[in-house]
Amino acid sequence: SFLIFTALVNIHHFLLDGALWKLRDSRIASLLIDRGEKAAAGADAAADSRTGGAARRLGARIFSAPLFRVALAALLFLWGGMDQVHFALGTNEGNLAALHRAARMNPYDSMLEARIASAETKAGRRDAAVAALTRAVAINPKNAALQHACARAMLEDGRYADAFEHYRKMLEMFPRDSDALVNYGLLAARLGHPEEAVESWEKAVDVNPDQPNAQLYLAEALDQHGEHAAAARHWQAFLRLAAAHPDDSIATVQQEISATIQLADDEARINHADAALTGYLTAIALAERAHDARLESLALAHLADMQEKKGDAQSAAHSYQRSLALDVTAGDPRSEAFDWFNYGQFLRRHGLPEELAYACFLKAENLLGTAGGADLQTIQTIRRDVEKSLGKKAAAAQKDLPALLDRAIKLPSVSF
């Protein structure tokens, strides 16, 4: 800024010098100065008051005085020096004290406040980082990147309600910011505003239908609301985007498998049996290639449920047994407990020996342990009913539990 100012002053001097040199030529001067208007000029001079003329002469002497010019140059050099000091302090990102001194010199530098926030975060002072970014946003509210950074800082500090309110205000200024809409929806869902969350994700999809996050969250929310046909469309959109953008952080193989299973569930609920079957088989193949035993087991269990509903008990039994075999290596006791419980219910529905179903329920109860909550209570209630039905055979079944479980998982298809 200092150099630009001095350059302008020099250009102005060149212009004045050019005009003055032209006036030295009498012929040019005669053209530029109208000597025929001496009377008018004299009238103008007479109109000037004595005080005004004196003031102009004093001003001319001051502005033309060497001391004034030296003082002005010194002031400009001082101004430039202060700017350089501010720049040096404000770019020393590793020195928080220097950054704060720079902020005191210029409290209207939003990017400096952002650097202060970064330094405060590295120092472990997240509340101070939020305060710095809040100041930055107040200085430059039109900067969407600063708005997002401030919201992220609030989230990292656990201030979800503050972040929710921040995004609400941000969306008033940037109503078509798809990332803000997605994050606002997530916070709305977390804070107990599910309708507001769905509305925000729907707006995000309208603004940017190619954003996989919005499609994923909207599909999950619609499933929770029982809108399975609408959810299926968003599952399909998510899977299409995940395939097109495999480098996206949300398009992991596990998320793709889970989405495929949930899409197949929705297809089954809206009586698209063939599409559901294709979806489950696709999920099983994906999980097998990814060596993900837990998701492969989950897909098989869902497939078994659909096969049973279609009246194919033999295929359902085979799918349940494959699922249970995978649970041994999956390392997820809770999922394994549910699979044993569902298989026991399946055996009861198809008239297999009661002691086999009883063994399945005992296994599920043992896997859940004391942390089962309401699920454990459901399993215990059904296990007690079967126990009463077995009578004295229940004690023998408890002793022979491993053998009964092995027998149950190896039941041939002709048994169903």
Coordinates of all heavy atoms in Angstrom, one line a residue, residues 216 220 235 238-240 242-243 250-266 276 278-300 302 326:
L216 N -27.7 -40.8 2.0 CA -27.6 -41.9 3.0 C -28.5 -41.5 4.2 O -29.3 -42.4 4.7 CB -26.1 -42.1 3.4 CG -25.8 -43.0 4.5 CD1 -26.2 -44.4 4.2 CD2 -24.4 -42.9 4.9
E220 N -32.0 -43.4 5.7 CA -32.1 -44.0 7.1 C -33.3 -43.3 7.8 O -34.0 -44.1 8.5 CB -30.8 -43.7 7.8 CG -29.6 -44.5 7.3 CD -28.3 -44.2 8.0 OE1 -28.2 -43.1 8.6 OE2 -27.4 -45.0 8.0
W235 N -31.7 -45.1 -1.1 CA -30.6 -46.1 -1.0 C -30.0 -46.4 -2.4 O -28.8 -46.5 -2.5 CB -31.2 -47.4 -0.4 CG -31.5 -47.4 1.0 CD1 -32.7 -47.7 1.6 CD2 -30.6 -47.2 2.1 NE1 -32.6 -47.6 3.0 CE2 -31.3 -47.3 3.3 CE3 -29.2 -46.8 2.2 CZ2 -30.7 -47.1 4.6 CZ3 -28.7 -46.6 3.4 CH2 -29.4 -46.7 4.6
F238 N -27.8 -43.5 -3.3 CA -26.5 -43.6 -2.5 C -25.6 -44.6 -3.1 O -24.4 -44.4 -3.3 CB -26.7 -43.9 -1.1 CG -25.5 -44.3 -0.3 CD1 -24.6 -43.3 0.1 CD2 -25.1 -45.6 0.0 CE1 -23.4 -43.6 0.7 CE2 -24.0 -45.9 0.6 CZ -23.1 -44.9 1.0
L239 N -26.1 -45.8 -3.4 CA -25.3 -46.9 -4.0 C -24.7 -46.5 -5.4 O -23.6 -46.8 -5.7 CB -26.1 -48.2 -4.1 CG -26.4 -48.8 -2.7 CD1 -27.4 -49.9 -2.9 CD2 -25.1 -49.3 -2.1
R240 N -25.5 -45.8 -6.2 CA -25.1 -45.3 -7.5 C -23.9 -44.3 -7.3 O -22.9 -44.4 -8.0 CB -26.2 -44.7 -8.2 CG -25.9 -44.2 -9.6 CD -27.0 -43.7 -10.4 NE -27.5 -42.4 -9.8 CZ -28.6 -42.3 -9.1 NH1 -29.4 -43.4 -8.8 NH2 -29.0 -41.1 -8.5
A242 N -22.0 -44.0 -4.6 CA -20.8 -44.7 -4.0 C -20.0 -45.4 -5.1 O -18.8 -45.4 -5.0 CB -21.3 -45.6 -3.0
A243 N -20.7 -46.0 -6.1 CA -20.0 -46.7 -7.1 C -19.3 -45.7 -8.0 O -18.2 -46.0 -8.5 CB -21.0 -47.6 -7.9
I250 N -17.3 -41.5 2.7 CA -18.4 -42.2 3.2 C -18.7 -43.5 2.4 O -19.5 -44.4 2.8 CB -19.7 -41.3 3.2 CG1 -20.7 -41.9 4.2 CG2 -20.3 -41.1 1.9 CD1 -21.8 -40.9 4.5
A251 N -18.1 -43.6 1.2 CA -18.4 -44.7 0.3 C -17.5 -45.9 0.6 O -16.8 -46.4 -0.3 CB -18.3 -44.3 -1.1
T252 N -17.4 -46.3 1.9 CA -16.6 -47.5 2.2 C -17.3 -48.8 1.8 O -18.5 -48.8 1.5 CB -16.4 -47.5 3.7 OG1 -17.7 -47.7 4.4 CG2 -15.7 -46.2 4.2
V253 N -16.6 -49.8 1.7 CA -17.1 -51.1 1.3 C -18.2 -51.6 2.4 O -19.2 -52.0 2.0 CB -16.0 -52.2 1.2 CG1 -16.6 -53.6 1.0 CG2 -15.0 -51.8 0.1
Q254 N -17.9 -51.4 3.7 CA -18.8 -51.7 4.7 C -20.1 -51.0 4.6 O -21.2 -51.5 4.8 CB -18.2 -51.5 6.1 CG -17.1 -52.5 6.5 CD -15.8 -52.3 5.7 OE1 -15.5 -51.2 5.2 NE2 -15.1 -53.4 5.5
Q255 N -20.0 -49.6 4.3 CA -21.2 -48.8 4.1 C -22.0 -49.3 2.9 O -23.3 -49.3 2.9 CB -20.9 -47.4 4.1 CG -22.1 -46.4 4.0 CD -22.9 -46.5 5.3 OE1 -22.5 -46.1 6.4 NE2 -24.1 -47.1 5.2
E256 N -21.3 -49.6 1.9 CA -22.0 -50.1 0.6 C -22.7 -51.4 0.9 O -23.9 -51.6 0.4 CB -21.0 -50.3 -0.5 CG -21.6 -50.6 -1.8 CD -20.5 -50.7 -2.9 OE1 -19.3 -50.5 -2.6 OE2 -20.9 -51.1 -4.0
I257 N -22.1 -52.3 1.7 CA -22.8 -53.6 2.0 C -24.0 -53.3 2.8 O -25.1 -53.9 2.6 CB -21.8 -54.5 2.7 CG1 -20.6 -54.9 1.8 CG2 -22.5 -55.8 3.1 CD1 -19.5 -55.6 2.5
S258 N -23.8 -52.5 3.9 CA -25.0 -52.2 4.8 C -26.1 -51.6 4.0 O -27.3 -51.9 4.2 CB -24.5 -51.3 5.9 OG -23.6 -51.9 6.7
A259 N -25.8 -50.6 3.1 CA -26.8 -50.0 2.3 C -27.5 -51.0 1.4 O -28.8 -50.9 1.2 CB -26.2 -48.8 1.5
T260 N -26.8 -51.9 0.8 CA -27.4 -52.9 0.0 C -28.4 -53.8 0.7 O -29.4 -54.2 0.2 CB -26.3 -53.8 -0.7 OG1 -25.4 -52.9 -1.4 CG2 -26.9 -54.8 -1.7
I261 N -28.0 -54.2 2.0 CA -28.9 -55.0 2.8 C -30.1 -54.2 3.1 O -31.3 -54.7 3.1 CB -28.2 -55.4 4.1 CG1 -27.0 -56.3 3.8 CG2 -29.1 -56.0 5.1 CD1 -26.1 -56.6 5.0
Q262 N -30.0 -52.9 3.5 CA -31.2 -52.1 3.8 C -32.1 -51.8 2.6 O -33.3 -51.8 2.8 CB -30.7 -50.8 4.5 CG -30.1 -51.0 5.9 CD -29.5 -49.7 6.5 OE1 -28.5 -49.3 6.1 NE2 -30.2 -49.2 7.5
L263 N -31.5 -51.7 1.5 CA -32.3 -51.6 0.2 C -33.1 -52.8 0.0 O -34.3 -52.8 -0.3 CB -31.4 -51.3 -1.0 CG -32.0 -51.3 -2.3 CD1 -33.2 -50.3 -2.4 CD2 -31.0 -51.0 -3.4
A264 N -32.4 -54.0 0.2 CA -33.1 -55.3 0.0 C -34.2 -55.4 1.0 O -35.3 -55.9 0.7 CB -32.1 -56.4 0.1
D265 N -34.0 -55.0 2.2 CA -35.1 -55.0 3.3 C -36.3 -54.2 2.8 O -37.4 -54.6 3.0 CB -34.6 -54.4 4.6 CG -33.6 -55.4 5.3 OD1 -33.5 -56.6 4.9 OD2 -32.9 -54.9 6.2
D266 N -36.0 -53.0 2.3 CA -37.1 -52.1 1.8 C -37.8 -52.8 0.6 O -39.1 -52.7 0.5 CB -36.6 -50.7 1.4 CG -36.3 -49.9 2.7 OD1 -36.9 -50.1 3.7 OD2 -35.4 -49.0 2.6
A276 N -35.5 -57.9 -3.9 CA -34.9 -58.1 -2.5 C -33.9 -59.3 -2.6 O -32.8 -59.2 -2.0 CB -36.0 -58.4 -1.5
T278 N -32.2 -60.4 -5.1 CA -31.0 -59.9 -5.8 C -30.1 -59.1 -4.9 O -28.9 -59.2 -4.8 CB -31.3 -59.1 -7.0 OG1 -32.1 -59.9 -7.9 CG2 -30.1 -58.6 -7.8
G279 N -30.8 -58.2 -4.1 CA -30.0 -57.3 -3.2 C -29.3 -58.1 -2.1 O -28.1 -57.9 -1.8
Y280 N -29.9 -59.1 -1.5 CA -29.3 -59.9 -0.4 C -28.1 -60.7 -1.0 O -27.0 -60.8 -0.4 CB -30.3 -60.9 0.2 CG -31.3 -60.2 1.1 CD1 -32.7 -60.5 0.9 CD2 -31.0 -59.2 2.0 CE1 -33.6 -59.8 1.7 CE2 -31.9 -58.6 2.8 CZ -33.3 -58.9 2.6 OH -34.2 -58.3 3.4
L281 N -28.3 -61.3 -2.2 CA -27.2 -62.0 -2.8 C -26.0 -61.1 -3.2 O -24.9 -61.5 -3.0 CB -27.7 -62.8 -4.0 CG -28.8 -63.9 -3.8 CD1 -29.3 -64.5 -5.1 CD2 -28.2 -65.0 -2.9
T282 N -26.4 -59.9 -3.6 CA -25.3 -59.0 -3.9 C -24.5 -58.6 -2.6 O -23.3 -58.5 -2.6 CB -25.9 -57.7 -4.5 OG1 -26.5 -58.0 -5.7 CG2 -24.8 -56.7 -4.8
A283 N -25.2 -58.4 -1.5 CA -24.6 -58.0 -0.3 C -23.7 -59.2 0.2 O -22.6 -58.9 0.7 CB -25.6 -57.6 0.8
I284 N -24.2 -60.4 0.1 CA -23.4 -61.6 0.5 C -22.1 -61.7 -0.3 O -21.1 -61.9 0.3 CB -24.3 -62.8 0.4 CG1 -25.4 -62.8 1.4 CG2 -23.4 -64.1 0.6 CD1 -26.5 -63.8 1.1
A285 N -22.2 -61.5 -1.6 CA -21.0 -61.5 -2.4 C -20.1 -60.4 -2.1 O -18.8 -60.7 -2.0 CB -21.5 -61.5 -3.9
L286 N -20.6 -59.2 -1.9 CA -19.7 -58.1 -1.5 C -19.0 -58.4 -0.2 O -17.7 -58.1 -0.1 CB -20.5 -56.8 -1.4 CG -21.0 -56.2 -2.7 CD1 -21.9 -55.0 -2.4 CD2 -19.8 -55.7 -3.6
A287 N -19.7 -58.8 0.8 CA -19.1 -59.1 2.1 C -18.1 -60.2 2.0 O -17.1 -60.2 2.7 CB -20.2 -59.5 3.1
E288 N -18.4 -61.2 1.2 CA -17.5 -62.4 1.1 C -16.2 -61.9 0.5 O -15.1 -62.3 0.9 CB -18.1 -63.5 0.2 CG -17.3 -64.8 0.2 CD -18.0 -65.9 -0.6 OE1 -19.1 -65.6 -1.2 OE2 -17.6 -67.0 -0.5
R289 N -16.2 -61.0 -0.6 CA -15.0 -60.5 -1.2 C -14.2 -59.6 -0.2 O -13.0 -59.6 -0.3 CB -15.4 -59.7 -2.5 CG -15.8 -60.6 -3.6 CD -15.6 -59.8 -4.9 NE -16.5 -58.7 -5.0 CZ -17.8 -58.7 -5.5 NH1 -18.2 -59.9 -5.9 NH2 -18.5 -57.6 -5.5
A290 N -15.0 -58.9 0.6 CA -14.3 -58.0 1.6 C -13.9 -58.8 2.9 O -13.3 -58.1 3.7 CB -15.3 -56.9 2.0
H291 N -14.1 -60.1 2.9 CA -13.8 -60.9 4.1 C -14.4 -60.3 5.4 O -13.8 -60.3 6.5 CB -12.3 -61.0 4.3 CG -11.6 -61.5 3.1 ND1 -11.7 -62.8 2.7 CD2 -10.8 -60.9 2.1 CE1 -11.0 -63.0 1.6 NE2 -10.4 -61.9 1.2
D292 N -15.7 -59.8 5.3 CA -16.4 -59.2 6.4 C -17.4 -60.3 6.8 O -18.6 -60.3 6.3 CB -17.0 -57.9 6.0 CG -17.5 -57.1 7.2 OD1 -18.1 -57.7 8.1 OD2 -17.4 -55.9 7.2
A293 N -17.0 -61.1 7.8 CA -17.9 -62.2 8.2 C -19.2 -61.6 8.9 O -20.3 -62.2 8.8 CB -17.2 -63.1 9.2
R294 N -19.1 -60.5 9.6 CA -20.2 -60.0 10.4 C -21.3 -59.5 9.4 O -22.5 -59.9 9.6 CB -19.8 -58.8 11.2 CG -20.9 -58.2 12.1 CD -20.4 -57.0 12.9 NE -20.1 -55.9 12.0 CZ -21.0 -55.1 11.5 NH1 -22.3 -55.2 11.8 NH2 -20.6 -54.1 10.7
L295 N -21.0 -58.8 8.4 CA -22.0 -58.3 7.4 C -22.5 -59.4 6.5 O -23.7 -59.5 6.1 CB -21.4 -57.2 6.6 CG -21.2 -55.8 7.3 CD1 -20.6 -54.8 6.4 CD2 -22.6 -55.3 7.8
E296 N -21.6 -60.4 6.2 CA -22.1 -61.5 5.4 C -23.1 -62.3 6.2 O -24.1 -62.8 5.7 CB -20.9 -62.4 5.0 CG -21.3 -63.6 4.1 CD -20.1 -64.4 3.7 OE1 -19.0 -64.1 4.1 OE2 -20.3 -65.5 3.0
S297 N -22.9 -62.5 7.5 CA -23.8 -63.2 8.4 C -25.1 -62.5 8.5 O -26.2 -63.1 8.4 CB -23.2 -63.4 9.8 OG -24.2 -63.9 10.7
L298 N -25.0 -61.1 8.6 CA -26.2 -60.3 8.6 C -27.1 -60.4 7.4 O -28.3 -60.6 7.4 CB -25.9 -58.9 8.9 CG -27.0 -57.9 9.0 CD1 -27.9 -58.1 10.2 CD2 -26.5 -56.4 9.0
A299 N -26.4 -60.4 6.2 CA -27.1 -60.5 5.0 C -27.8 -61.9 4.8 O -28.9 -62.0 4.4 CB -26.2 -60.3 3.8
L300 N -27.1 -62.9 5.3 CA -27.7 -64.3 5.2 C -28.9 -64.4 6.2 O -29.9 -65.1 5.8 CB -26.6 -65.3 5.6 CG -25.6 -65.6 4.5 CD1 -24.4 -66.3 5.1 CD2 -26.2 -66.5 3.5
H302 N -31.0 -62.0 7.0 CA -32.1 -61.3 6.4 C -32.6 -62.1 5.2 O -33.8 -62.1 5.0 CB -31.6 -59.9 6.0 CG -31.5 -58.9 7.1 ND1 -32.0 -57.7 7.1 CD2 -30.9 -59.1 8.3 CE1 -31.7 -57.1 8.3 NE2 -31.0 -57.9 9.0
L326 N -20.7 -68.4 10.3 CA -19.9 -67.2 10.1 C -19.8 -66.5 11.4 O -18.7 -65.8 11.7 CB -20.5 -66.3 9.1 CG -20.3 -66.7 7.6 CD1 -21.2 -65.9 6.7 CD2 -18.9 -66.6 7.2

